[in-house]
Amino acid sequence: EGASRRAMLETEESQISQVATKDFPDLIAKGFEAQKGGLHNVIRDISFTGNYWEQFGALTGAALERDRDTSKPWVGNPFENGDEYDESTPSMQNAAKVRNAFAWAIQREELVENLLAGLGFVNHQAYLSSNSPFYTDDLGWGTDFAKAKELMAEAGQADGFEMDMWVGTGELGAEIGESVGAAWDEQLGVKVNLIKTAYSTYRPGLVARSTNTPGVFICGDENHSNFPYDWAHGFVVSSFSAGGYGVGQEIPYATATYSAMAGEPDKAKREALSANFYQENRKWANCVGIFEEPLWPMFNPNKVAVWDQRPIANGNLYGINELRSVKLK
């Protein structure tokens, strides 16, 4: 798909197109230009699905029927000791260590260099840009294979295991899966089987809250660098979104955060709630960031004389907007 869009740009079938980020340098060398007016990066991430921790629906209060399959080392069950929510259960603690081990075993700088031709930024929090003034180093994981191995051993997974990860049909998802999977295999003994099926086959499990296959690029619509820090976070990571799209997790702190932020008129209080949300995600490693990919549509300056693209926080149409401002030569 990306190659086809590039070919259409090069043959002048199209004058504006979004191509693979790693193709930017070559196309710029050929005279094409990147439209950076959107000032927008999309955050690429991994959701560790299967962590359905809520007992009752946030909207209805009805009991939620969920399968918490703790045979998956990244899945915790806060109810394995009874009906009371308990974050100290063995599976909750061990699964958190496994998820954090995964997060520490991602070579983000190398991925930016190799998959994005150096164009982009490392990311740790799926809903928070690493360039945000609110981002602090304690919210990230960095790369530390020794720490990751230690966490795996503490979780009883020193020998590793085999797992599936959904990467979709796109080239970038597969490249991320292959690179991350190779590191996890080599360093942690975790063999990753990449599931390269269409999103339409993966999405039903997200809606039904039945999937426990982690997926790339699925942490939700907030994974854009331009979203406000005090945006009400957590909707798709909570039971508020039950019955529709979710990220394969239902997390009490996400439900509490969204509920409080959505009705809070005081910006300072919303920012405090947001800070707590990111600290909780750092603790539990539910949605882990990988890198931020710039959404720069490429255009042919020999054909396009004027294009006043404006800042945007929506990735639809690859961030292409303000087309009414385009004037051709």
Side-chain angles (χ1 to χ4, degrees), residues 12-214:
E12 298 189 358
E13 286 184 73
S14 63
Q15 313 309 328
I16 297 172
S17 183
Q18 179 66 21
V19 301
T21 302
K22 65 182 180 181
D23 288 339
F24 286 1
D26 185 42
L27 287 170
I28 290 172
K30 292 181 177 180
F32 295 94
E33 292 186 16
Q35 172 55 274
K36 302 180 182 180
L39 302 174
H40 181 203
N41 302 326
V42 62
I43 297 170
R44 303 303 191 182
D45 44 47
I46 300 175
S47 177
F48 291 107
T49 61
N51 287 291
Y52 305 107
W53 298 345
E54 292 188 75
Q55 190 174 19
F56 301 102
L59 287 174
T60 66
L64 298 173
E65 299 297 328
R66 302 289 187 256
D67 178 24
R68 304 176 181 96
D69 184 0
T70 56
S71 71
K72 308 296 184 183
W74 59 90
V75 174
N77 181 4
F79 303 106
E80 64 186 351
N81 289 343
D83 292 335
E84 292 297 318
Y85 179 83
D86 183 0
E87 293 180 350
S88 68
T89 65
S91 71
M92 286 290 282
Q93 292 300 307
N94 289 331
K97 290 174 181 176
V98 169
R99 294 191 302 272
N100 274 283
F102 284 153
W104 280 107
I106 298 174
Q107 297 170 293
R108 293 171 177 82
E109 291 83 0
E110 288 83 351
L111 292 174
V112 170
E113 189 63 33
N114 296 332
L115 305 188
L116 301 181
L119 301 171
F121 307 93
V122 300
N123 180 269
H124 304 275
Q125 293 278 346
Y127 304 154
L128 179 63
S129 172
S130 56
N131 295 317
S132 167
F134 293 97
Y135 177 79
T136 52
D137 288 342
D138 62 309
L139 295 177
W141 285 272
T143 303
D144 189 331
F145 291 125
K147 183 184 289 289
K149 291 176 182 177
E150 180 180 338
L151 287 167
M152 290 287 281
E154 290 177 4
Q157 300 291 343
D159 295 331
F161 49 83
E162 186 169 346
M163 66 180 290
D164 293 342
M165 183 162 68
W166 181 83
V167 297
T169 58
E171 182 179 3
L172 184 59
E175 290 176 335
I176 288 175
E178 289 163 2
S179 299
V180 170
W184 290 355
D185 188 5
E186 179 181 353
Q187 300 292 335
L188 306 179
V190 175
K191 183 181 185 303
V192 180
N193 304 311
L194 302 184
I195 308 303
K196 300 180 180 180
T197 58
Y199 175 66
S200 60
T201 67
Y202 183 67
R203 188 179 189 277
L206 298 176
V207 174
R209 293 351 190 220
S210 61
T211 188
N212 53 33
T213 300

